[in-house]
Amino acid sequence: MSTTHESEVIARLAAMEEQLQQFNQLLSCLSERVTQSEDNLRLVADIHKYKKLRDLLAAGNLQEADWETIRVILAITGQRELESITPEDVKQFPCNELHVIDSLWTTYSKGRFGFSVQMQIYQNVGGSLNTTIAQDNTVIERFGDRIGWRVDGKWQKCDRLDYTLAAPIGCHPSRWWNSPFGSKMTNYFFNRLLTCNL
């Protein structure tokens, strides 16, 4: 093979490699757009349910968004009060609804807040499906310490939490977790987040 022919083959291979890289970049962009479209479709499917939450989060009103998260959860479960939501309701909570709520929180907090962020922290402090089944409250306490819900070994009232982006990562949504079932409900909810792959 002549040097000229070898140079042409090498040049063609280089051009093909460059085209392949461009194609991979296009695929990556397409994948991101598909994910965004899926998120938008989830929201559009039930825009009346999520619009206020989205608007509050977009405006940076985290305290009111926290309350709105409870209202959305109540609408989904068909209950009138937070105190009426049972562990059984949590076990059957629709995964797609959890994903939408989480997506709104993570998007508008730039990844600082949301159920998936809380789930990751829970796992980082030793939480797992087994600890939820065992109702392991020591993991719940470590989780509370990590996200600022517990200070000096005492649980904080939600009104005392920081409702800005300066709050500890994973701090919100927070009010939803205040259940009369206490840590039992917390374990049930983490179990649901795990089974829903958040």
Side-chain angles (χ1 to χ4, degrees):
M1 187 182 293
S2 71
T3 6
T4 309
H5 187 65
E6 281 180 24
S7 297
E8 288 174 7
V9 169
I10 292 171
R12 283 186 187 156
L13 285 173
M16 288 173 65
E17 189 174 332
E18 187 177 328
Q19 287 176 338
L20 185 59
Q21 286 176 350
Q22 290 173 351
F23 181 71
N24 284 336
Q25 286 175 341
L26 285 172
L27 278 179
S28 177
C29 289
L30 181 61
S31 175
E32 288 176 25
R33 286 185 179 169
V34 167
T35 302
Q36 286 175 346
S37 295
E38 286 172 349
D39 290 345
N40 288 338
L41 283 174
R42 280 192 209 123
L43 186 58
V44 169
D46 231 343
I47 191 81
H48 68 281
K49 191 187 305 173
Y50 299 109
K51 184 180 183 317
K52 186 172 181 184
L53 178 58
R54 184 197 62 197
D55 293 348
L56 289 166
L57 288 166
N61 188 345
L62 300 181
Q63 191 161 18
E64 197 52 42
D66 204 20
W67 285 110
E68 183 60 20
T69 300
I70 292 174
R71 288 189 279 275
V72 168
I73 289 172
L74 290 173
I76 294 165
T77 60
Q79 299 293 346
R80 290 182 169 203
E81 301 173 337
L82 179 61
E83 294 76 20
S84 304
I85 297 175
T86 66
E88 194 58 37
D89 292 324
V90 168
K91 279 168 53 176
Q92 303 195 20
F93 202 91
C95 292
N96 62 323
E97 306 275 10
L98 286 173
H99 282 280
V100 174
I101 295 167
D102 177 62
S103 176
L104 290 169
W105 272 95
T106 55
T107 299
Y108 289 102
S109 69
K110 298 177 174 67
R112 293 185 62 82
F113 306 133
F115 295 142
S116 59
V117 177
Q118 292 169 336
M119 185 74 258
Q120 185 176 16
I121 294 168
Y122 177 73
Q123 290 174 307
N124 288 344
V125 297
S128 67
L129 206 51
N130 289 337
T131 61
T132 66
I133 293 166
Q135 293 284 312
D136 187 337
N137 293 335
T138 59
V139 178
I140 301 288
E141 289 174 358
R142 285 196 302 265
F143 169 76
D145 291 337
R146 177 74 66 87
I147 65 170
W149 290 357
R150 277 173 43 103
V151 176
D152 297 326
K154 294 181 181 168
W155 292 97
Q156 301 297 297
K157 301 262 185 220
C158 287
D159 291 335
R160 299 192 70 194
L161 299 176
D162 181 353
Y163 283 94
T164 71
L165 289 178
I169 292 173
C171 187
H172 300 296
S174 50
R175 288 183 189 278
W176 149 248
W177 295 87
N178 284 331
S179 164
F181 292 93
S183 61
K184 179 178 182 180
M185 181 67 96
T186 302
N187 278 300
Y188 270 87
F189 192 61
F190 273 127
N191 185 289
R192 190 60 182 153
L193 295 178
L194 280 161
T195 55
C196 288
N197 295 314
L198 252 76

